[in-house]
Amino acid sequence: MPHRRRSGRTSVHGRDDGRRLGAAELGQGLGERATLVQFSSAFCAPCRATRRVLAEVARMVPGVAHVEIDAEQRLELVRTLGILKTPTVLVLDADGRIVRLAAGQPRTADVIAALGDAL
């Protein structure tokens, strides 16, 4: 599901490089069915809007968890994953495999669609 908005606000890419994330990297456990991982920074206005969207989706979809990570405090993980801007959202399947990566502020419908690959 490659998706890019011309304004550069959002770009979504499939990502199946075999990398898996778990509680050790995230600081909390995975969702039963999927996990939405958000990389944020303190003064990022789109990060606050993204937090609301992801929390809403996690409430709507059973078994989906939302984890927010402060990118400035987790620079090693940010570099390992190649995160270049905030907000960046990873969609993980139940095993912690990265199935989607989206940079920029997502819309609720886009997050729900991306979850389809993880569920």
Side-chain angles (χ1 to χ4, degrees), residues 1 3 14 38 44 56 59 88:
M1 172 181 77
H3 171 74
Q38 175 184 350
C44 168
E56 176 186 358
R59 283 191 303 272
T88 291

Side-chain angles (χ1 to χ4, degrees), residues 71-88:
E72 296 168 28
Q73 293 183 7
R74 301 290 309 276
L75 286 176
E76 184 175 321
L77 182 59
V78 165
R79 288 181 182 127
T80 298
L81 295 172
I83 306 296
L84 300 176
K85 66 185 248 180
T86 58
T88 291

Side-chain angles (χ1 to χ4, degrees), residues 1-65:
M1 172 181 77
H3 171 74
R4 296 173 198 249
R5 289 189 188 168
R6 284 189 154 283
S7 68
R9 189 170 141 219
T10 302
S11 82
V12 177
H13 305 280
R15 181 155 175 146
D16 185 4
D17 58 6
R19 177 176 302 280
R20 295 182 193 278
L21 300 176
E25 295 86 5
L26 301 178
Q28 70 182 63
L30 295 170
E32 183 181 312
R33 298 175 64 206
T35 305
L36 302 169
V37 180
Q38 175 184 350
F39 286 87
S40 299
S41 52
F43 299 104
C44 168
C47 293
R48 291 187 292 275
T50 298
R51 179 183 310 120
R52 287 189 298 272
V53 168
L54 298 182
E56 176 186 358
V57 171
R59 283 191 303 272
M60 289 178 5
V61 183
V64 174

